[in-house]
Amino acid sequence: MASVDSSVEVEGATAAAGDGLTHSMRKNGRFVNPWPNWCFPSGTQGMKMMWKFATGSGDHSNIPSQEVLDTTLPVVTPDFSSSVPQDGMKVTWLGHASVLVQFENISVLTDPIFSQRAAPLQFMGPKRYRGPPCSVQDLPAVDVVVISHNHYDHLDYNTVKDLHKRFGERLCWHVPLGMLSWMKSIGCENVVEQDWWQEERVKDREDIKVVFTPAAHWCKRGPTDDNLVLWGSWCVIGRRSRFFFGGDTGYCHGFKEIGKKYGPFNLAAIPIGAYEPRWFMKSQHVCPEEAVQIHMDVGARVSLGIHWGTFKLISTSFEGYLEPRSRVKEAMEAKGLKVEDFFTLDHGGSRVIPIPQAEPSFEKETAT
């Protein structure tokens, strides 16, 4: 296991801004994790796991037949016809880390992927065992897309092309540092590239703020582009509503910083799956118990479990396909929290989250 050498000179020290926040860091032009306990698997075993992770190979015999899946993990047609109440947020899970959140007359889409494989080519790589509940053409109007990082299961070339073809420059993309050139190569021009803690207003919606925030992960799409793109989480803040998107992450103290600066949140979307084996996944993917800790750290009133039950990743060889859902429930009970406050949805399923009257804590950052 290789760890970041904290003695080396890096660009952008953790406390450089003097604001008590953890900022992004680079070493020799590449981003590095500033978290003291971050380590990335190395050696022969690590390389073997990386190959299985990239190709989607491994033993997936614990995924049952389609008949069983249709009962235990159904895919339903999303209901995009019902209106979003003025005093609520509507969230729809589109599979994996793809979520559509609608509130205050704006629609936000996270890490969209509608392809059958999370890979550069559609004949190999991690394949879905639960299909997308709809197509890009079925979506309602989308105003903002946020991308957490550039791994293929979170940044899908075909989906980006299809979204751009349908919505054009009306759709605003908020992406991490280092991703702008890739987006423009596809033809997307309405792109905002952000660093951790960078706040941007949505074009033509000055009352909606989009903030890129920390996470513990890494980036890579090709053989030599390791960590040339930053990774992170997102906060979308309206006048009365606050949404947190965890993206893809290991556990780090950055979530407490996010909660202190921007919480509490009406709704959070937090990854709960693809956490086994722990020796390989711990730094990059939270387990359900750590997901519950993030729920607490950011001050989420309710959270949706994402990043599970969709693709045949290497983790499905080690964890039961429904295990993330059951372990989240157990972790909530162990913390003495209401189980219903950390929920999951069917693929394509929706829930409306009521928004109470604005509180002073919600107004502190929105007004700035």
Side-chain angles (χ1 to χ4, degrees):
M1 305 276 277
S3 60
V4 174
D5 183 357
S6 59
S7 66
V8 298
E9 183 176 351
V10 294
E11 307 161 38
T14 302
D19 54 9
L21 301 174
T22 304
H23 291 267
S24 64
M25 301 167 64
R26 282 188 177 104
K27 176 187 174 184
N28 299 325
R30 298 176 187 266
F31 291 100
V32 296
N33 275 281
W35 320 113
N37 295 325
W38 167 268
C39 54
F40 194 78
S42 60
T44 303
Q45 282 298 103
M47 292 299 293
K48 286 181 179 179
M49 290 295 288
M50 282 298 298
W51 173 252
K52 289 183 178 181
F53 188 80
T55 60
S57 58
D59 179 11
H60 302 300
S61 59
N62 59 350
I63 298 175
S65 67
Q66 291 299 309
E67 183 179 7
V68 172
L69 287 170
D70 287 343
T71 300
T72 59
L73 192 59
V75 179
V76 301
T77 301
D79 178 12
F80 295 132
S81 62
S82 60
S83 60
V84 181
Q86 292 295 316
D87 58 349
M89 305 175 76
K90 182 179 179 182
V91 57
T92 304
W93 186 43
L94 301 175
H96 204 51
S98 303
V99 175
L100 180 70
V101 182
Q102 299 165 286
F103 63 95
E104 298 186 27
N105 296 314
I106 194 167
S107 295
V108 179
L109 185 60
T110 70
D111 286 1
I113 176 169
F114 292 86
S115 295
Q116 287 299 318
R117 292 184 184 269
L121 302 171
Q122 287 300 296
F123 61 83
M124 66 175 294
K127 187 178 182 180
R128 285 179 178 268
Y129 63 93
R130 294 278 75 190
C134 66
S135 69
V136 168
Q137 293 303 315
D138 297 324
L139 291 172
V142 178
D143 303 292
V144 171
V145 175
V146 294
I147 302 293
S148 64
H149 66 297
N150 72 355
H151 286 160
Y152 287 99
D153 56 330
H154 295 258
L155 180 66
D156 179 59
Y157 175 83
N158 290 324
T159 300
V160 173
K161 279 188 65 177
D162 289 346
L163 284 165
H164 179 64
K165 181 179 180 180
R166 179 170 174 206
F167 296 110
E169 298 310 319
R170 293 174 296 163
L171 180 58
C172 185
W173 300 81
H174 289 256
V175 303
L177 284 182
M179 198 180 288
L180 181 62
S181 60
W182 189 92
M183 296 296 299
K184 288 195 171 185
S185 72
I186 295 181
C188 301
E189 294 293 335
N190 189 8
V191 183
V192 181
E193 192 177 63
Q194 293 175 236
D195 195 359
W196 287 354
W197 309 111
Q198 183 176 337
E199 302 176 354
E200 296 290 343
R201 301 285 176 172
V202 174
K203 185 179 179 181
D204 300 324
R205 285 297 305 271
E206 288 298 310
D207 57 330
I208 304 292
K209 182 164 58 179
V210 181
V211 190
F212 195 41
T213 43
H217 207 59
W218 55 288
C219 278
K220 183 179 179 68
R221 284 178 79 86
T224 62
D225 65 345
D226 303 48
N227 296 337
L228 293 176
V229 172
L230 186 57
W231 51 89
S233 56
W234 291 94
C235 305
V236 184
I237 302 170
R239 290 190 178 276
R240 294 184 55 207
S241 314
R242 291 175 178 242
F243 169 60
F244 172 74
F245 172 57
D248 200 356
T249 184
Y251 183 75
C252 63
H253 64 76
F255 298 113
K256 285 185 169 64
E257 298 174 9
I258 294 166
K260 183 177 180 180
K261 185 168 178 61
Y262 294 114
F265 292 90
N266 302 96
L267 171 68
I270 300 174
I272 64 171
Y275 47 84
E276 294 288 358
R278 293 309 286 155
W279 69 266
F280 180 72
M281 291 294 188
K282 183 172 178 56
S283 286
Q284 52 188 312
H285 288 168
V286 292
C287 64
E289 292 75 20
E290 291 168 327
V292 169
Q293 187 60 53
I294 294 174
H295 166 83
M296 298 169 65
D297 288 351
V298 301
R301 286 181 168 152
V302 297
S303 292
L304 167 66
I306 60 170
H307 201 266
W308 73 287
T310 307
F311 286 98
K312 292 180 179 179
L313 302 172
I314 183 61
S315 315
T316 56
S317 301
F318 299 91
E319 63 194 47
Y321 77 105
L322 294 179
E323 181 183 292
R325 184 166 68 188
S326 61
R327 279 182 58 174
V328 163
K329 179 180 178 180
E330 293 168 0
M332 291 290 283
E333 290 174 339
K335 292 286 188 180
L337 301 173
K338 294 180 180 178
V339 171
E340 60 268 24
D341 286 349
F342 203 135
F343 62 95
T344 58
L345 292 169
D346 294 339
H347 291 258
S350 299
R351 181 173 295 189
V352 173
I353 312 300
I355 304 300
Q357 291 296 316
E359 301 172 359
S361 61
F362 269 62
E363 296 171 349
K364 62 182 179 183
E365 290 291 338
T366 307
T368 61

